[in-house]
Amino acid sequence: MAICQMLRRSLSGDRRSPAEVPKGHLAAYVGENEKKRFVIPISYLNQPLFQELLYQAEEEYGFDHPMGGLTIPCSHEYFLEVTSRL
């Protein structure tokens, strides 16, 4: 359950610099209004459920993400639901 611990840690306000994202992971900013930072494994990028979230991000922002990184426009709860299935 290391992934769940990392997601919880990122939700708790653990603000890491980009250099502190573990190898094989990336930071994603999630939320419709208030953005929260999650650190996720890059293996999620190949999962069809996660690719739906990426499609939503492309529709919403194109390739100009307001947070300077991957921004996903869905609720935090929905993001946690999707990532719990991966």
Side-chain angles (χ1 to χ4, degrees):
M1 289 292 167
I3 300 303
C4 290
Q5 289 173 339
M6 276 193 288
L7 288 174
R8 277 191 219 108
R9 190 177 334 135
S10 66
L11 276 175
S12 69
D14 180 15
R15 299 286 184 206
R16 296 176 172 219
S17 69
E20 293 184 57
V21 174
K23 186 175 182 174
H25 293 74
L26 63 101
Y29 298 90
V30 179
E32 295 163 324
N33 296 316
E34 180 186 338
K35 306 287 188 251
K36 291 189 179 182
R37 185 177 185 258
F38 291 84
V39 177
I40 58 171
I42 59 171
S43 62
Y44 283 10
L45 299 175
N46 291 326
Q47 301 296 320
L49 282 175
F50 197 80
Q51 288 176 356
E52 285 296 317
L53 295 177
L54 294 176
Y55 178 73
Q56 289 176 10
E58 180 184 16
E59 290 292 311
E60 179 81 20
Y61 304 115
F63 293 105
D64 183 30
H65 293 262
M67 298 295 291
L70 178 59
T71 307
I72 300 175
C74 69
S75 70
H76 307 131
E77 294 81 14
Y78 182 70
F79 181 80
L80 290 171
E81 179 183 323
V82 168
T83 56
S84 71
R85 293 194 227 160
L86 303 176

